[in-house]
Amino acid sequence: MLAAAYDYNPIASASGLLSALFVRESCENVRFPGFSGGFCPTFTDSVCIKDSVRIDPACGSGGMFVQTGDFVNQAGMVANNTMTFYGQEKVEYNSKLCLMNMAVHGLTGVIKSGDEANTFYHDAHNLNGCCDYVMANPPFNVDKVKSESALSAGRLPFGLPGVNKEKEVGNANYLWISYFYSYLNEHGRAGFVMASSATDSSGKDKNIREALIRTGHVDVMISVANNFFYTKSLPCSLWFFDKGKPEELLDKVLFIDARNYYTVVDRTLNEWTDWQLKNLNAIVWLYRGETDKYKSLLAEYHTALGSDDAFTEIRERLEKAVQEKRAEAKEAVNAAAKREKKAVQSAYDEAITALEKQLTIAKEACWLYEKFGDGVYQDVLGLCKIADRATIIEEKGCSLTPGAYVGVAPVEDDGVDFHERMTEIQQELLTLQAESNELMDTITRNFKELGI
């Protein structure tokens, strides 16, 4: 993804979750006041998002715009016809990359750059309080922001964060957070990536965080593991604001700790697969009472797996099929002529890969269904919890760190007897050592025969 390569943006899975949790829903069963036309007659049970305003005050090379456009287009609409994209980017080179990135993906937008687009000191588009959506991945922990200039630029509904003796903001994380909130209209939604430290920072940051919590507009908080960036290994959090939250959710915040839920790409990079993204979405759907979406996902799993049987039964069948196919492959390769072994192995590798892909889907289906069944939200130890504002403010000291609420998941018993397994390992080691000794003796004899 071009944006990630240039911008330190999280890889597509993290920014994709931002899109999925609020942009996608605008194309489904959620009504957002302020959208022109209300329910769109050309999309069954859909919402028309015509004329909605979307801003990224730290747009970099446009990765978040591309993610938004992809989700809107996948919903059967044309992003350019339904949304207006605005961006600010201080570095002019990055803004040019942004326009190019958007053009490659069929998007247009109004992108301002240079000193006038420094978000700390300018609202370049005069959109304060006017935006339907804010989605951003700002630079973390920026320092030396001139506090007086930032204050005069406005968009700080909860005041300035801490200011040092040089009259500078030493860490701008809460400037960004304040801007994202301030840009929203009365029914707007924001989703952004932020340094993990911001969920629990002290001093003036804590005061701003408390004021945010008291508004009732903090909707969902998600902790993300390390290695979700191409060039950085630090963990981060995803924040979601919703000024249009229904009355029954105003006093609630959903916390999800996804630090142990991801797929390893390689030694330095993790991601969420499409199915894992859907599962995380499903938790939010149940929190919001949108069980129809959850049930649709279960149906999608059954379709992908080609069976209406219980997910655990499907998984067990696939596990057995993979084992049998591997054993069959080993026998076939051993029996094949030397010149045919590679081709035989390749054919079996393709078959095994296809089975493993289905097995992965089955495991994700089991992960979801074992926790939430046919569609009833429940707090899951180590994964998710709903907390009210009193608990967050009075008991947890205004912390928005998911780990402070969800707790630690119990260690699962793998059913293996420790002493029995250690005995097996010891026997295997002794066997390998004996084979190694025999091999060394053979090599020594061969050298002697060669007169070496």
Side-chain angles (χ1 to χ4, degrees), residues 224-228 258-265 269-273 276 364:
V224 183
N226 292 330
N227 296 332
F228 265 71
R259 290 176 297 172
N260 297 315
Y261 186 56
Y262 55 85
T263 295
V264 176
V265 178
L269 193 63
N270 299 322
E271 70 172 6
W272 287 313
T273 65
Q276 288 173 330
E364 294 299 343

Side-chain angles (χ1 to χ4, degrees), residues 37-58:
F39 285 93
C40 183
T42 57
F43 299 97
T44 304
D45 294 327
S46 293
V47 175
C48 182
I49 60 172
K50 183 175 174 60
D51 298 332
S52 65
V53 175
R54 154 85 169 82
I55 189 170
D56 185 343

Side-chain angles (χ1 to χ4, degrees), residues 403-421:
Y405 298 88
V406 305
V408 179
V411 177
E412 295 183 5
D413 185 356
D414 58 10
V416 176
D417 183 271
F418 175 78
H419 294 290
E420 181 180 333
R421 182 57 185 146

Side-chain angles (χ1 to χ4, degrees), residues 62-93:
M64 293 298 185
F65 291 139
V66 172
Q67 286 293 324
T68 303
D70 286 347
F71 275 103
V72 173
N73 291 336
Q74 288 169 14
M77 292 179 280
V78 179
N80 275 336
N81 295 341
T82 57
M83 307 186 81
T84 304
F85 296 93
Y86 293 92
Q88 290 184 217
E89 173 53 47
K90 179 184 176 183
V91 180
E92 292 191 17
Y93 176 72

Side-chain angles (χ1 to χ4, degrees), residues 13-14 17 20-21 24-25 220-224 228 238 240 254-262 271-287 294 297 301 364 367-368 372 377 383-384:
S13 60
L17 184 60
L21 285 182
R24 173 186 284 169
E25 288 169 359
V220 182
M221 297 293 301
I222 302 177
S223 288
V224 183
F228 265 71
L238 304 182
F240 297 89
L254 172 63
F255 293 93
I256 298 176
D257 190 344
R259 290 176 297 172
N260 297 315
Y261 186 56
Y262 55 85
E271 70 172 6
W272 287 313
T273 65
D274 288 344
W275 292 107
Q276 288 173 330
L277 282 171
K278 291 174 182 178
N279 284 354
L280 291 172
N281 274 317
I283 300 173
V284 180
W285 294 336
L286 294 179
Y287 153 69
Y294 177 87
L297 177 56
Y301 270 119
E364 294 299 343
W367 183 93
L368 183 66
F372 305 106
Y377 175 85
L383 175 64
C384 61

Side-chain angles (χ1 to χ4, degrees), residues 138-153:
F140 301 164
N141 307 319
V142 176
D143 60 0
K144 298 182 179 179
V145 178
K146 298 175 183 178
S147 61
E148 293 178 353
S149 297
L151 185 61
S152 65

